[in-house]
Amino acid sequence: MRDVAIIGIGITKFGELWDKSFRQLIAEAGSKAIIDAGIEGKEIDAIYVGSMSAGRFIGQEHVGALVADSSGFAHLHIPAIRVESACASGGLALRQGYLSVASGMNDIVVVGGIEKMSDVGGTAATETLATAADQEWEAFFGATFPGIYAMIATKHMHDYGTTREQLAQVAVKNHANGALNPNAQFRREISLDTVIKAPPVAQPLGLLDCSPVSDGAASLILCPAEKAKKYTDKPVKIIGSGQASDTLALHARDSICTFNSTVYAARMAYKQAKKTPKDIDVAEVHDCFTIAEIIAIEDLGFVEKGEGGKAIDNNITTLDGSLPVNTSGGLKAKGHPVGATGVAQVVEIVTQLRGEAEKRQVKDATIGLAHNVGGCGASCIVHILEAM
Ligand code: COA
């Protein structure tokens, strides 16, 4: 296996982007990454793109070929592969691209992630997202992701004493970070009181505990680490890549407060990277709902199980804390165009490790972690990156 580096990044603004099509979004993110890396189209060996449900959101399947075509590469006849793992589609596209370069099969690979969710109404978006839950055991009975995560939050509060305020504080922190990110969907700070008094969605979660419905795309350029300095003086190496799965439905798990896919994917990534949770300087974790960030920091080993709420109280995860989490604003404030999210998380980590995150820069960050979850933890991808 060869070492692999990220030499280019690109991202669009996230939000309700009525004036931009699916094609325009992926072409924008891809061309930004290509320009950032300073590569030429003819150097690209393959494209991997994460998209959860373009078929239901915009009526378009065959996304791999579409992305190559709309990026202007149809005449190059490059292999173009669409990757799906629900909300972890982007993270998995990166892992597939990474494996193809590490194996020696490809040299220059473009990894993309995209979703255009806001062209359908709220009900259709919720039903489409719920296709990632277990249809027979959950969705058939009316369970949606806000409802499923609300159950998980209720159990976490019961078992570990996590409070409504601690959940809300995750949203307050991530909105404060999002306010510093020019590409974030929501760039406004919010107060604890506003989160707690927001309209209920599924108790105990309110509107401001939820990630939004979003449009957006992100892209990365990969190459063998030994060739990276030819393209950029700020390459970032992928030092760990882990992937794991779990039961699709919650009821079959020993605990709904632990996502074993995160535990196992993180274990794989830490082992490969020869790092421990203490080595991580900055992390982007999958905060699709506020409770999800609390569970993620526990399952990634940043704090003990049940201590995630207290970590929020103690400001460990704020921009100036000992382990800043979701400096981009996270899914909560940056937005969550599901197929793009896993790639966008890595764009943020690379930005941090290059020292280019401006007002949200974490001082002396050299090692970062990205954690991308599918559904309510049936799949998970973890990447650990290090500035070269
Ligand atoms: N956070 C902050 N503000 C939000 C928001 C969110 N998650 N979702 C919507 N808003 C804002 C909108 O900008 C709008 O503000 P405006 O009136 O100032 O323009 C207002 O709230 C109403 O927006 P609307 O689109 O009508 O909200 P909605 O009630 O249809 O949808 C949710 C709100 C929370 C139900 C929806 O965002 C949702 O389903 N989120 C979860 C997505 C999800 O499950 N993702 C997969 C995770 S596994």
Side-chain angles (χ1 to χ4, degrees), residues 85-86 88 132-134 138 145 149 243-250 253 259-262 372-381:
S85 188
D134 191 309
E138 292 172 333
F145 278 114
Y149 275 91
Q243 178 186 357
S245 56
D246 201 350
T247 64
L248 205 55
L250 277 190
R253 299 186 193 168
F259 284 10
N260 272 321
S261 59
T262 295
N372 190 197
V373 168
C376 55
S379 59
C380 179
I381 323 291

Side-chain angles (χ1 to χ4, degrees), residues 327-375:
T327 56
S328 68
L331 285 51
K332 170 73 230 29
K334 183 182 68 215
H336 184 24
V338 284
T341 282
V343 180
Q345 291 175 318
V346 174
V347 167
E348 176 68 9
I349 295 296
V350 172
T351 306
Q352 288 285 352
L353 300 186
R354 286 177 173 183
E356 294 173 352
E358 300 182 341
K359 288 183 180 160
R360 57 184 202 286
Q361 181 64 46
V362 174
K363 202 163 165 280
D364 300 328
T366 55
I367 299 178
L369 180 148
H371 161 256
N372 190 197
V373 168

Side-chain angles (χ1 to χ4, degrees), residues 160-355:
Y160 302 113
T162 302
T163 65
R164 178 67 189 96
E165 286 72 20
Q166 289 167 343
L167 294 173
Q169 196 58 42
V170 174
V172 171
K173 169 181 73 72
N174 290 349
H175 268 256
N177 292 347
L180 304 176
N181 181 354
N183 293 315
Q185 180 160 353
F186 299 120
R187 299 203 60 206
R188 58 171 195 271
E189 294 198 26
I190 50 174
S191 69
L192 195 68
D193 199 44
T194 317
V195 183
I196 289 170
K197 290 187 179 151
V201 172
Q203 289 288 7
L205 306 177
L207 177 74
L208 295 170
D209 289 276
C210 306
S211 59
V213 167
S214 316
D215 307 326
S219 191
L220 306 164
I221 312 292
L222 312 185
C223 83
E226 65 192 21
K227 297 187 183 169
K229 288 260 164 81
K230 182 178 143 197
Y231 296 100
T232 172
D233 54 2
K234 288 186 181 173
V236 168
K237 201 198 283 189
I238 300 174
I239 57 172
S241 176
Q243 178 186 357
S245 56
D246 201 350
T247 64
L248 205 55
L250 277 190
H251 72 267
R253 299 186 193 168
D254 292 340
S255 163
I256 63 169
C257 293
T258 296
F259 284 10
N260 272 321
S261 59
T262 295
V263 173
Y264 281 78
R267 197 176 288 168
M268 193 185 290
Y270 287 132
K271 187 174 174 206
Q272 183 189 354
K274 299 191 181 63
K275 301 289 178 200
T276 71
K278 287 195 176 59
D279 295 316
I280 305 300
D281 299 317
V282 57
E284 288 285 299
V285 311
H286 198 96
D287 60 323
C288 50
F289 299 91
T290 48
I291 183 62
E293 178 170 315
I294 288 177
I295 289 183
I297 62 174
E298 295 170 352
D299 293 341
L300 289 165
F302 298 150
V303 296
E304 293 293 318
K305 180 50 65 183
E307 300 289 310
K310 289 195 196 90
I312 307 297
D313 275 346
N314 296 334
N315 292 328
I316 288 172
T317 53
T318 52
L319 217 42
D320 55 359
S322 55
L323 176 55
V325 169
N326 287 330
T327 56
S328 68
L331 285 51
K332 170 73 230 29
K334 183 182 68 215
H336 184 24
V338 284
T341 282
V343 180
Q345 291 175 318
V346 174
V347 167
E348 176 68 9
I349 295 296
V350 172
T351 306
Q352 288 285 352
L353 300 186
R354 286 177 173 183

